[in-house]
Amino acid sequence: MSNEAFITYIAQPGGSLSGNIRVPGDKSISHRSIMLGSLSEGKTTIKGFLQGEDSLATLKAFKAMGVHIEGPDEQGQVIIHGVGMHGLEKPKTELDLGNSGTSMRLLTGLLASQSFDLTLSGDHSLSSRPMKRVTDPVMQMGAIIETMDNGTAPLKINSNASSQLNAIEYTLPMASAQVKSCVLLAGLYAQGKTCVTEPAPTRDHTERMLQGFGYQLEVEKLDEQRSRICLQGGGKLTACDIDVPADISSSAFFMVGASIAEGSDLTLQHVGINPTRIGIINILQKMGANIALSNEKVVGGEPVADIRIRSAQLKGIHIPEGQVPLAIDEFPAISIAAACAQGQTILTGAEELRVKESDRIQAMIDGLLILGIDCEGTADGMIINGGQLTSGTVDSLGDHRIAMSFAMAALRSSGKINILDCANVNTSFPGFVKLAKSCGLDVSSEETDKTPGDEA
Ligand code: S3P
């Protein structure tokens, strides 16, 4: 039986973060650049593509469907020779999307009406995540998709060559950019006008990039929170060049680290600051963080800036619920900030955290309790009382963001923190240990063989 590599991080206590660094490219934008580039007419050149396992899973999926894609090279340049809306070919095997929820949920929409059958599969974590949220609306449009009994992957999409999808008017049951994108991408192939209403603003990279590829969209703000996005099926995409900014979600670990570690002064370069992603900045600033933006510009339809963070005494807050979808991937990192803050931090309205790569509420609370923090999980959030982080061994449960958050916690812990099961950091942040070390975090990575029955 083959062994799989098991990665443990060992983070030594103390230190500070300083310097000028650039984290890898935005994961959401990288996925979408492969999808739209592949379906466009012409040649798309992508700069700054994230070479993480998740976005590479999307890239491999399109290669398997016959798209000629060059790269990524060492600088993250990818060249896609688009095949047009109807140029994909049947893959020889099922498409294995690894740990990547974005690949699976967006491809469900995009591939729902191709002229071939195919199966989307994933790893253990992805195979336990809810997929009915995407299969339901796409099936309402006429797609034929089989899931496991409990609505999970593998997803078998049956070819729909004879019957075109029909447009729908869909109200998202939860604030999810993946579901919104899935329905819009299915709508590209539908007869008529597909409209999606979102209950709160979620990341709008799909909308921005569709427009960048020359596809017309209507976006109507219904009130403070809700928007309705519509597109007419049957159009085409025209290739364009994409400059992927550094990922604000990967930057978040460093924003928290530099905020909590005394003496820090760190600048993060060329970070995407799309208004639908900046919850981390808003929340940390409300907690008293010292964060300054400079060099703001718009690159390929996405705003970017350099972000300077200096250490500050943080205070506990009740996180405004309106910020939750804007910081949905950042709560593992924010809970470390809360553990180092003075007073109590309360998070509500974040039940979606329970169905991410892990149950992120449980994973963070379990780890923080081991590290001596007084905290508890609630159905839709957490209550964290700031205190002294101690030392111990915590389990990331194979969730990249849990692993990187606990690594940053060591900047304020009284002893060493061991973090188990960190291999999946490579899904979103290849080179994390090296980059974190280069700016002052004393973290190392150890590889051991994991044999069955040896589970930590
Ligand atoms: C993503 C949307 C979010 C986020 C995920 C990436 C995207 O998921 O958590 O990491 O690229 O659309 P939800 O749509 O489930 O909120």
Side-chain angles (χ1 to χ4, degrees):
M1 207 172 280
S2 68
N3 294 334
E4 71 188 83
F6 189 79
I7 306 285
T8 300
Y9 284 173
I10 299 127
Q12 302 294 342
S16 59
L17 298 184
S18 56
N20 205 313
I21 60 169
R22 179 166 174 165
V23 304
D26 188 278
K27 184 151 76 74
S28 295
I29 297 176
S30 294
H31 281 297
R32 288 156 171 85
S33 65
I34 297 290
M35 295 176 190
L36 300 191
S38 294
L39 295 175
S40 70
E41 287 172 23
K43 188 173 99 176
T44 290
T45 302
I46 308 167
K47 232 168 71 181
F49 180 76
L50 168 65
Q51 301 187 54
E53 288 166 7
D54 277 12
S55 37
L56 289 172
T58 293
L59 186 149
K60 278 188 210 136
F62 280 90
K63 274 188 168 173
M65 291 186 286
V67 183
H68 176 36
I69 304 178
E70 298 172 61
D73 67 11
E74 272 173 20
Q75 277 73 48
Q77 176 165 296
V78 175
I79 297 171
I80 307 177
H81 301 270
V83 295
M85 295 302 290
H86 299 282
L88 295 178
E89 293 164 11
K90 181 178 169 62
K92 291 194 175 64
T93 57
E94 62 183 34
L95 299 178
D96 179 359
L97 304 169
N99 195 244
S100 178
T102 307
S103 310
M104 186 167 284
R105 295 208 176 112
L106 271 57
L107 288 186
T108 299
L110 204 56
L111 300 177
S113 58
Q114 299 294 329
S115 57
F116 47 81
D117 295 346
L118 84 160
T119 300
L120 305 179
S121 64
D123 69 5
H124 178 70
S125 155
L126 185 54
S127 304
S128 62
R129 296 181 65 187
M131 291 299 150
K132 273 181 97 59
R133 55 180 59 195
V134 284
T135 55
D136 276 353
V138 178
M139 287 172 75
Q140 280 176 37
M141 297 171 85
I144 306 161
I145 306 176
E146 288 168 47
T147 67
M148 300 299 278
D149 284 346
N150 53 356
T152 54
L155 307 181
K156 284 192 180 161
I157 305 180
N158 294 318
S159 78
N160 206 22
S162 49
S163 61
Q164 212 194 359
L165 297 184
N166 294 311
I168 47 167
E169 173 78 51
Y170 192 67
T171 299
L172 298 179
M174 74 291 287
S176 164
Q178 291 179 349
V179 182
K180 170 178 67 176
S181 302
C182 167
V183 177
L184 290 174
L185 295 174
L188 295 176
Y189 290 93
Q191 204 158 23
K193 186 163 145 185
T194 294
C195 295
V196 184
T197 297
E198 56 180 0
T202 67
R203 65 192 68 193
D204 63 357
H205 305 300
T206 301
E207 296 92 302
R208 285 174 189 252
M209 203 180 285
L210 278 170
Q211 284 167 321
F213 277 86
Y215 211 98
Q216 293 241 321
L217 280 184
E218 293 162 33
V219 181
E220 187 190 351
K221 221 167 155 24
L222 301 177
D223 55 40
E224 265 305 292
Q225 287 293 299
R226 294 177 314 131
S227 294
R228 180 165 173 266
I229 305 111
C230 299
L231 59 77
Q232 188 75 37
K236 66 169 191 157
L237 299 166
T238 307
C240 70
D241 291 344
I242 295 173
D243 180 349
V244 182
D247 197 327
I248 191 166
S249 294
S250 297
S251 305
F253 308 106
F254 290 89
M255 288 188 213
V256 167
S259 294
I260 63 174
E262 212 184 315
S264 295
D265 185 351
L266 183 71
T267 299
L268 302 165
Q269 298 159 11
H270 202 70
V271 181
I273 52 159
N274 179 312
T276 59
R277 297 285 297 280
I278 55 169
I280 177 68
I281 298 177
N282 298 337
I283 293 168
L284 285 177
Q285 281 179 334
K286 201 167 159 59
M287 294 176 81
N290 183 348
I291 299 178
L293 270 53
S294 63
N295 223 354
E296 288 187 45
K297 54 187 169 208
V298 177
V299 177
E302 291 280 351
V304 297
D306 294 339
I307 303 180
R308 181 177 182 191
I309 311 105
R310 280 168 282 183
S311 44
Q313 176 58 59
L314 301 180
K315 60 177 196 307
I317 58 165
H318 188 157
I319 296 170
E321 286 196 9
Q323 293 298 318
V324 170
L326 311 184
I328 195 64
D329 289 337
E330 280 57 270
F331 288 103
I334 290 168
S335 58
I336 299 300
C340 297
Q342 236 159 28
Q344 188 173 68
T345 296
I346 303 174
L347 171 67
T348 52
E351 56 279 352
E352 278 292 304
L353 295 182
R354 295 210 177 266
V355 290
K356 293 294 176 187
E357 287 83 328
S358 68
D359 175 342
R360 288 186 172 159
I361 293 176
Q362 198 60 46
M364 288 312 298
I365 293 295
D366 287 348
L368 287 173
L369 286 170
I370 289 168
L371 298 176
I373 297 297
D374 173 19
C375 58
E376 63 177 292
T378 60
D380 68 341
M382 344 186 209
I383 302 171
I384 298 173
N385 294 300
Q388 174 61 54
L389 288 156
T390 56
S391 75
T393 296
V394 300
D395 195 340
S396 83
L397 301 172
D399 184 330
H400 53 141
R401 302 201 196 280
I402 305 292
M404 291 184 272
S405 299
F406 280 118
M408 289 296 169
L411 289 161
R412 277 281 287 273
S413 66
S414 59
K416 181 174 83 163
I417 302 179
N418 294 324
I419 308 146
L420 304 176
D421 207 356
C422 298
N424 278 339
V425 167
N426 280 334
T427 61
S428 68
F429 203 142
F432 168 74
V433 166
K434 194 169 169 210
L435 192 65
K437 264 169 120 155
S438 78
C439 57
L441 180 69
D442 189 351
V443 60
S444 58
S445 167
E446 244 178 35
E447 185 172 336
T448 49
D449 283 339
K450 186 169 114 177
T451 41
D454 193 22
E455 233 95 310

